[in-house]
Amino acid sequence: MKNQKNTYLKKYSHEFLKILRDSFNQIKIEKCVYLVKHIKKKKKKIIIIGNGGSAAIASHASVDFVKITKTKCINFNDSSLITCFANDYGHDNWMKEAIKHYGDNGDLLIAISSSGKSKNIINACFEAKKKKFKSIVTLSGFSKKNKLRVLGNINFWVNSNVYNFVENIHQILVLSIVDSFNKTKIK
């Protein structure tokens, strides 16, 4: 039994690290850092969106962008907002409506979806384009041909169908933007 566990965890960590290395694009991260600096300088804001685990990533990153980069950043993870807008506009359109009400010309949207197929995230991207956001950054996984992957100005894609691999790598990618902005010291 012990040998099976060790084998599984070795395969798990090996696969995770391989996918992380393949997904970690330094040039794209540096472009995102530049965008955040631009957003901060222009006194605009970052809006980060996601569902489920991606919403948790959005909440975590939102706090770090505000605290560490001193850039205005919001997410839509308030249960009153979600239930009101989903009730009034439908689940597929509630984030689009939130972008309509909270987004401004020149803002930055970071859209996270493991599958890249979440209609509410895709519709929010189209609304951000309509409102002339400065840029859209997408993070997706699963199929290389997912709809979200082509909607951004900068698109990160994780080549995996394992939710926890995709979500954990998305979190590492987003937080590496924060750390790169701040040049967090590494031992």
Side-chain angles (χ1 to χ4, degrees):
M1 189 71 153
K2 184 180 176 185
N3 223 4
Q4 284 179 318
K5 286 182 183 179
N6 286 340
T7 301
Y8 174 77
L9 290 175
K10 283 180 183 177
K11 285 181 182 176
Y12 185 94
S13 64
H14 176 74
E15 183 67 14
F16 180 82
L17 292 172
K18 178 187 175 305
I19 296 167
L20 174 60
R21 275 191 301 276
D22 292 345
S23 303
F24 199 88
N25 186 312
Q26 185 175 339
I27 293 168
K28 288 181 182 180
I29 291 168
E30 288 170 354
K31 286 180 181 180
C32 290
V33 170
Y34 169 80
L35 279 170
V36 172
K37 287 179 179 180
H38 175 84
I39 294 299
K40 180 178 178 175
K41 182 180 176 183
K42 296 292 184 180
K43 298 187 185 325
K44 296 294 181 177
K45 69 185 159 303
I46 302 167
I47 299 175
I48 307 179
I49 59 174
N51 296 307
S54 298
I57 295 166
S59 290
H60 181 170
S62 182
V63 170
D64 282 3
F65 275 113
V66 170
K67 181 182 172 195
I68 296 169
T69 73
K70 310 291 189 248
T71 306
K72 288 188 267 182
C73 186
I74 62 172
N75 64 76
F76 300 139
N77 296 338
D78 178 288
S79 61
S80 299
L81 173 73
I82 296 166
T83 56
C84 173
F85 278 35
N87 184 61
D88 290 354
Y89 305 112
H91 182 75
D92 290 351
N93 293 308
W94 81 264
M95 282 195 198
K96 174 181 107 174
E97 292 298 322
I99 294 287
K100 218 182 256 188
H101 292 280
Y102 290 98
D104 296 302
N105 178 299
D107 285 346
L108 169 62
L109 177 66
I110 300 175
I112 310 168
S113 170
S114 293
S115 69
K117 296 191 297 188
S118 301
K119 289 182 182 176
N120 60 347
I121 302 290
I122 290 165
N123 290 338
C125 289
F126 285 123
E127 186 60 33
K129 287 177 182 275
K130 252 192 230 178
K131 290 195 72 103
K132 301 198 184 315
F133 274 34
K134 168 70 177 166
S135 194
I136 298 172
V137 174
T138 70
L139 293 98
S140 65
F142 293 26
S143 171
K144 194 171 188 173
K145 295 181 181 181
N146 73 66
K147 289 185 180 184
L148 183 61
R149 189 167 182 238
V150 297
L151 292 178
N153 305 93
I154 300 172
N155 301 288
F156 292 94
W157 176 68
V158 178
N159 186 11
S160 178
N161 290 314
V162 178
Y163 269 101
N164 284 333
F165 283 1
V166 174
E167 289 174 347
N168 282 310
I169 292 171
H170 283 169
Q171 177 145 329
I172 290 168
L173 292 169
V174 172
L175 295 180
S176 70
I177 296 166
V178 172
D179 288 342
S180 293
F181 181 98
N182 196 45
K183 302 243 186 303
T184 299
K185 291 182 181 163
I186 302 170
K187 290 182 181 182

